[in-house]
């Protein structure tokens, strides 16, 4: 009898955790499992702000996919997903195509620029290893350029970060640590460098605990980060950005604009014709796409409403990883002909936001943390995530042990 074919698209948190769980549930003869990813490595998306700032090397945050999967049970294809023909149960890749019996779409997030003029052309985004690496190398380049120009241009040393959500705050936290190193490396006085975080909402980290937000902003300001709160980026140009606050428009010159002010699901979701909101599919409690009994959508490409707040759960690695477990369970139930599927209920343990390698804020199991205890917890969270994906070996290879 032909083995059912399970195709998983994306080797991020959701995809890898689906594989890890499927490998435990299924023998090599039970199913043909195929994993597709555009790179032959998985990366820790949650560390990309560090790669972008240059506080860790890109290789620290990536792992060859073959080190995370059992190649006796899973076939890996390095290719880019171009489209999904849902009616024909076919996936089109750049270089080939695949059919499936069960499909898991876990293609992650892309930057959402809300149609703001010039962002796509002139701003950087923290969206992949190569995007992060480009930010790091661009900053190195403009700092190196500064002293070699006859007329010194301050905009070379001005870094704009759009958005003071968790990504924006974690990135400026890393920059606060990195800038003094850069100044030393490139013979630049620290006071010449400006890092400006621009946030449209009336507060940084909108919706987070106000006491912790105040701590974060104070700490970052102390390290030289400037905040423009209640200020929206309206345009990005070759020269910098245009912002507006209370109808006052201002232009800020900068050679480095990093847009960290919004995410959406994959464009492949839209292309494939799924019912979606900004590339995210509102999935059932069992993580199936509406109208499909064989297509699961998980991670940042999925959308689920939190019944307590009646708002969508935020797209997080924590949820993507847990969804991988439910998704694997439901595929194995469907393969056994079971009608009743497991319902996904996120078990949200908390949120920890780093402010550089030595400081953080967080709420864990309802308890507020800040400073070194929060920073310790952030590293525990990062190491736990590695453990779930690749066991103790991966923690030993890539883990964060610089606790103090
Ligand atoms: P991803 O982990 O992004 O993986 C998607 C994978 O699909 C990638 O490997 C990508 O290369 C691949 N892919 C994409 N398109 C294609 C294609 N067309 N063809 C083939 N392959 C493709 N969440 C937390 O819970 N805690 C945190 O501390 C945290 N920190 C974060 C820090 C930063 C800087 C950022 C940007 C996000 C952070 N998040 C955090 C959010 C979290 O990273 C995402 O929610 C999570 O990565 C989503 O997992 P995923 O599996 O859906 O996608
Ligand atoms: P976000 O949507 O959470 O935050 C974006 C911020 O940009 C918001 O505060 C918004 O008000 C602001 N903004 C939007 N348009 C703007 C404009 N025109 N000008 C200035 N500011 C503007 O996005 P994110 O921070 O990238 O986070 C994405 C997801 O990843 C979230 O679910 C988040 O929880 C998760 N994440 C978690 C962590 C963590 O747990 N440590 C870290 C990073 C990201």
């Amino acid at each position: 009898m032909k083995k059912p074919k399970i195709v998983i698209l994306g080797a991020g948190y959701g995809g890898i955790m689906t594989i890890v769980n499927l490998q435990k549930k299924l023998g090599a003869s039970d199913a043909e499992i195929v994993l597709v990813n555009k790179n032959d490595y998985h990366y820790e998306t949650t560390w990309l702000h560090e790669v972008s700032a240059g506080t860790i090397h890109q290789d620290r945050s990536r792992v060859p996919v073959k080190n995370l999967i059992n190649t006796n049970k899973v076939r890996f294809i390095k290719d880019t997903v171009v489209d999904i023909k849902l009616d024909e149960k076919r996936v089109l890749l750049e270089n080939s195509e695949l059919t499936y019996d069960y499909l898991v779409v876990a293609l992650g997030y892309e930057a959402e620029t809300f149609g703001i003029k010039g962002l796509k052309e002139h701003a950087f985004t923290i969206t992949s290893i190569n995007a992060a690496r480009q930010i790091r190398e661009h900053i190195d380049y403009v700092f190196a350029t500064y002293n070699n120009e006859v007329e010194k241009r301050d905009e070379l040393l001005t870094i704009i970060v759009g958005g003071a959500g968790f990504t924006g705050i974690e990135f400026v936290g890393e920059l606060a640590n990195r800038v003094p190193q850069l100044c030393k490396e490139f013979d630049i006085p620290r006071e010449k460098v400006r890092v400006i975080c621009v946030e449209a909402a009336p507060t940084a980290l909108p919706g987070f605990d106000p006491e912790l937000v105040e701590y974060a902003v104070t700490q970052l300001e102390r390290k030289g980060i400037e905040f423009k709160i209640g200020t929206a980026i309206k345009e990005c140009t070759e020269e910098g950005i245009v912002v507006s606050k209370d109808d006052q428009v201002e232009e800020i010159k900068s050679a480095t604009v990093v847009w960290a002010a919004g995410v959406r699901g994959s464009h492949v979701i839209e292309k494939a014709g799924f019912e979606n909101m900004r590339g995210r599919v509102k999935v059932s409690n069992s993580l199936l796409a509406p109208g499909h009994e064989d297509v699961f959508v998980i991670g940042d490409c999925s959308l689920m409403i939190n019944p307590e707040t009646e708002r969508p759960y935020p797209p997080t690695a924590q949820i993507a990883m847990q969804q991988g477990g439910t998704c694997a369970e439901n595929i194995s139930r469907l393969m056994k002909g079971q009608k009743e599927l497991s319902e996904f209920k996120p078990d949200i343990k908390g949120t920890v936001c780093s402010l550089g390698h030595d400081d953080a804020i967080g709420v864990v199991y309802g308890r507020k943390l800040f400073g070194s205890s929060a920073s310790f917890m952030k590293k525990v969270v990062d190491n736990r995530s590695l453990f779930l994906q690749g066991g103790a070996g991966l923690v030993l290879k890539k883990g964060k042990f610089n606790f103090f």
Side-chain angles (χ1 to χ4, degrees):
M1 209 175 82
K2 192 174 156 278
K3 289 192 280 187
K5 186 165 172 184
I6 307 166
V7 173
I8 293 127
L9 308 179
Y13 295 104
I16 288 295
M17 287 313 291
T18 304
I19 295 276
V20 165
N21 284 282
L22 277 176
Q23 285 175 169
K24 288 183 195 150
K25 288 176 196 296
L26 303 177
S29 56
D30 293 332
E32 182 187 351
I33 306 175
V34 181
L35 171 65
V36 182
N37 196 56
K38 64 164 73 153
N39 307 114
D40 57 7
Y41 55 83
H42 155 91
Y43 53 82
E44 296 299 314
T45 306
T46 59
W47 301 9
L48 286 182
H49 56 293
E50 296 165 83
V51 178
S52 303
T55 46
I56 63 171
H57 190 270
Q58 62 270 8
D59 289 343
R60 176 83 188 279
S61 65
R62 61 178 160 185
V63 192
V65 169
K66 66 175 171 34
N67 293 3
L68 295 175
I69 62 175
N70 177 344
T71 49
N72 294 322
K73 289 185 178 177
V74 180
R75 179 158 66 94
F76 174 63
I77 300 177
K78 175 180 176 284
D79 208 340
T80 298
V81 180
V82 176
D83 201 357
I84 304 164
K85 299 287 176 200
L86 292 161
D87 294 343
E88 301 159 29
K89 295 192 173 208
R90 253 179 345 125
V91 180
L92 305 189
L93 309 178
E94 237 166 48
N95 301 299
S96 65
E97 61 176 68
L98 287 167
T99 55
Y100 61 83
D101 295 301
Y102 301 103
L103 182 68
V104 180
V105 186
L107 293 171
Y109 71 101
E110 293 172 5
E112 174 58 88
T113 52
F114 306 109
I116 296 173
K117 200 171 154 198
L119 278 174
K120 283 200 174 126
E121 296 80 4
H122 305 298
F124 298 98
T125 57
I126 305 178
T127 41
S128 67
I129 284 278
N130 284 315
R133 187 174 180 173
Q134 192 187 10
I135 296 172
R136 176 211 178 124
E137 296 196 358
H138 170 82
I139 294 174
D140 278 2
Y141 176 76
V142 290
F143 273 59
T145 305
Y146 180 76
N147 275 325
N148 289 306
E149 288 193 342
V150 180
E151 201 177 309
K152 303 227 180 322
R153 289 182 295 140
D154 289 346
E155 58 266 32
L156 291 178
L157 304 181
T158 301
I159 302 171
I160 307 274
V161 179
F166 287 107
T167 302
I169 289 291
E170 290 202 324
F171 180 50
V172 296
E174 294 305 312
L175 286 176
N177 288 148
R178 177 74 179 135
V179 164
Q181 296 170 354
L182 286 167
C183 288
K184 210 165 168 210
E185 221 171 293
F186 296 104
D187 303 318
I188 289 165
R190 170 65 185 89
E191 62 277 12
K192 286 274 175 202
V193 180
R194 291 181 77 191
V195 178
I196 308 170
C197 185
V198 182
E199 168 57 52
T203 168
L205 297 173
F208 204 54
D209 182 275
E211 193 189 359
L212 295 177
V213 175
E214 196 189 323
Y215 171 86
V217 171
T218 308
Q219 288 292 91
L220 292 168
E221 281 179 338
R222 199 172 286 161
K223 292 185 201 169
I225 307 297
E226 294 173 49
F227 284 91
K228 282 188 179 286
I229 301 294
T231 306
I233 295 184
K234 294 288 185 194
E235 190 181 340
C236 186
T237 65
E238 243 174 71
E239 270 86 51
I241 53 163
V242 178
V243 297
S244 129
K245 180 177 187 171
D246 304 329
D247 294 332
Q248 297 286 316
V249 175
E250 186 194 350
E251 193 186 337
I252 309 173
K253 288 200 166 183
S254 164
T256 311
V257 178
V258 179
W259 177 251
V263 292
R264 64 192 322 282
S266 168
H267 69 280
V268 174
I269 292 284
E270 287 165 327
K271 196 165 178 205
F274 284 103
E275 210 177 286
N276 74 91
M277 282 182 269
R278 296 188 192 280
R280 299 175 74 197
V281 179
K282 192 170 172 195
V283 291
S284 69
N285 288 340
S286 45
L287 305 176
L288 284 164
H292 297 275
E293 286 174 357
D294 44 19
V295 181
F296 294 86
V297 183
I298 60 172
D300 285 7
C301 284
S302 70
L303 188 147
M304 282 188 95
I305 302 293
N306 178 345
E308 281 166 28
T309 60
E310 293 183 357
R311 290 174 57 88
Y313 285 108
T316 64
Q318 186 173 190
I319 289 183
M321 292 180 81
Q322 292 175 14
Q323 287 179 325
T326 304
C327 181
E329 170 65 22
N330 284 342
I331 291 173
S332 88
R333 286 192 193 185
L334 287 173
M335 282 174 56
K336 289 181 200 144
Q338 293 177 9
K339 291 267 176 290
E340 200 172 316
L341 298 186
S342 169
E343 293 204 346
F344 177 70
K345 289 195 192 73
D347 172 19
I348 298 179
K349 299 177 189 344
T351 302
V352 189
C353 173
S354 62
L355 309 170
H357 67 80
D358 50 359
D359 202 357
I361 50 170
V363 178
V364 178
Y365 292 116
R367 226 182 112 212
K368 287 191 216 181
L369 296 175
F370 57 90
S372 52
S373 56
S375 183
F376 176 85
M377 186 52 78
K378 179 75 178 156
K379 284 158 194 153
V380 170
V381 171
D382 285 350
N383 291 344
R384 178 175 181 274
S385 164
L386 291 175
F387 181 76
L388 293 173
Q389 295 171 80
L394 187 61
V395 181
L396 288 174
K397 245 191 223 146
K398 302 278 179 182
K400 294 184 177 169
F401 301 107
N402 53 335
F403 286 121
F404 300 103

